[in-house]
Amino acid sequence: PEADFRVDLVSCGEGGTVDIDLVNTSSNPGGRVSENWTVIRNGTEETYTSSPVRLEGLSEDEVISVTLEVTYSSNCTAIVSRDVMVSEILPMASVTAMVTSCNEDGTYTVLLEDASSNLEGITSQTIQVSINGTVTEYTEFPIEINIEEGDAVEVNQSIEYSNGCTAEGSTDIDAADLIPSASFTSRIGSCNADGTVDVALTNTTNVMDGVSAVNWSVTTGGVTTDYTGDEVSISGLDPSGELEVTLSVEYANGCTTSVTETINIADLLPQADFTFEISSCNADGTYEVTLTNTSDEIENIVSSEWTVTVGGQTSNYTGNSVVLSDLNGTDEITAVLNVVYDSNCTAMVEKST
């Protein structure tokens, strides 16, 4: 069995005091034979033997230590202890904003919705929306406003509840934060037998509902080709060449976003690398050294082959790590790592220590 409890907000009183209930939510309610609560408030310990436990007159910044021990008919016991912060129980006012339309005149239609922590028992609510200092007052959500990029928008909420509690909140809104910003990733999709490479482009634009078109314009060697879709593969490219890529994303609500980047294809080719590390200093004065593969895109490597020379003796290994034992402090290690990727690309690195 597992012990647990929840905290229910009962009411808020004058002077900022708060009443709460501690409610036993432990498993197997039918098998419980006793419950014992220990509550520490401001250094004073109080005990209770039934649920709910009503705690009255708490301050909003008070922290209560609660322990609940439950005994079952099976003679099993379960205990849970945790601190309760009164401030985290109180309702919090909050608002969300979403662009619903990008308009022809350059403005944005934004929908404001209530995201307060407690939407039950509201008796009254005042919402003040300030746009560049001009305030409009509302009494309920949702609220629709039209703004321009760069407008200073502030939403202030004041909520009253039937239990006497209140919540206030202020939210700043920037239209630029609500509009998707186009972005994409690029990687080598394949290294081909003829020495060319294929490059894969993937749309990573942050999500807004209602994408209507994803368009690409890719220029290489002075030739521009258009593509559509979230993923595009450009084949037969010179590894020493460049790509100029423009990604444009359109939405059903009229919003658009685009980005242009110049890609040096050679920068996309994965590079091999590894580290030397002394992993053990032995009692006989010898050392153990571990070589660890730290190549790019290590998760896509299908083969790792090592050629390691120590004191003129050469050995071959495979795998992403190699352990060399019984080394002297004067031994020189030379290691060559060759890796093969699932894209058929290869990479090599040589190091000495």
Side-chain angles (χ1 to χ4, degrees):
E2 294 184 357
D4 201 3
F5 65 90
R6 73 170 190 265
V7 183
D8 291 345
L9 176 62
V10 176
S11 64
C12 300
E14 294 182 2
T17 61
V18 178
D19 298 346
I20 65 172
D21 278 346
L22 306 177
V23 182
N24 187 352
T25 59
S26 303
S27 62
N28 189 17
R32 303 177 200 157
V33 295
S34 69
E35 57 185 275
N36 292 285
W37 300 80
T38 302
V39 178
I40 300 175
R41 295 179 53 186
N42 298 319
T44 301
E45 183 176 301
E46 303 169 353
T47 59
Y48 306 88
T49 57
S50 64
S51 170
V53 175
R54 176 67 56 86
L55 302 178
E56 299 178 333
L58 305 175
S59 63
E60 294 183 2
D61 60 354
E62 195 166 336
V63 179
I64 307 158
S65 178
V66 179
T67 299
L68 169 62
E69 181 176 358
V70 182
T71 302
Y72 291 85
S73 55
S74 61
N75 291 322
C76 295
T77 60
I79 299 175
V80 61
S81 295
R82 65 174 179 264
D83 290 338
V84 175
M85 299 182 64
V86 176
S87 60
E88 293 183 351
I89 305 167
L90 296 173
M92 298 179 62
S94 180
V95 63
T96 59
M98 178 180 66
V99 170
T100 58
S101 177
C102 295
N103 306 315
E104 292 183 359
D105 61 0
T107 63
Y108 303 102
T109 300
V110 176
L111 183 68
L112 306 178
E113 294 189 293
D114 198 351
S116 302
S117 60
N118 187 356
L119 299 179
E120 297 181 358
I122 294 176
T123 56
S124 69
Q125 181 167 202
T126 301
I127 310 110
Q128 293 183 332
V129 179
S130 172
I131 303 177
N132 299 326
T134 300
V135 177
T136 304
E137 191 167 295
Y138 304 85
T139 58
E140 62 181 2
F141 288 98
I143 298 167
E144 194 172 76
I145 59 175
N146 283 340
I147 61 175
E148 298 179 3
E149 189 169 350
D151 280 350
V153 182
E154 183 179 28
V155 181
N156 293 300
Q157 294 172 267
S158 180
I159 307 173
E160 295 182 359
Y161 294 87
S162 57
N163 61 5
C165 296
T166 61
E168 294 184 352
S170 180
T171 304
D172 292 326
I173 296 172
D174 186 343
D177 295 335
L178 305 178
I179 303 300
S181 177
S183 64
F184 64 89
T185 59
S186 54
R187 62 179 179 82
I188 298 294
S190 176
C191 291
N192 305 316
D194 61 1
T196 63
V197 297
D198 300 346
V199 171
L201 307 175
T202 303
N203 175 23
T204 57
T205 303
N206 50 315
V207 175
M208 176 188 282
D209 291 339
V211 173
S212 59
V214 178
N215 298 309
W216 304 81
S217 178
V218 181
T219 301
T220 180
V223 178
T224 300
T225 307
D226 295 329
Y227 303 87
T228 61
D230 283 324
E231 296 186 0
V232 171
S233 179
I234 317 299
S235 304
L237 299 172
D238 182 347
S240 63
E242 289 184 340
L243 290 176
E244 184 176 289
V245 179
T246 297
L247 167 65
S248 300
V249 182
E250 300 176 4
Y251 297 86
N253 62 7
C255 296
T256 61
T257 180
S258 65
V259 63
T260 298
E261 293 183 14
T262 298
I263 300 169
N264 187 334
I265 298 173
D267 292 340
L268 301 180
L269 293 169
Q271 302 297 310
D273 201 4
F274 64 89
T275 59
F276 293 99
E277 181 181 9
I278 293 178
S279 47
S280 177
C281 297
N282 304 318
D284 62 1
T286 62
Y287 300 89
E288 181 180 275
V289 173
T290 300
L291 313 182
T292 303
N293 186 355
T294 59
S295 302
D296 294 340
E297 302 180 22
I298 196 166
E299 69 279 4
N300 297 324
I301 292 175
V302 295
S303 172
S304 300
E305 297 185 352
W306 304 77
T307 301
V308 181
T309 302
V310 180
Q313 298 294 317
T314 299
S315 302
N316 296 315
Y317 305 89
T318 60
N320 282 330
S321 66
V322 173
V323 178
L324 307 177
S325 302
D326 300 323
L327 301 177
N328 296 313
T330 58
D331 283 337
E332 180 176 336
I333 305 169
T334 298
V336 177
L337 170 63
N338 286 278
V339 294
V340 179
Y341 290 87
D342 56 8
S343 61
N344 292 322
C345 296
T346 61
M348 184 272 287
V349 63
E350 179 177 342
K351 291 184 179 181
S352 298
T353 188

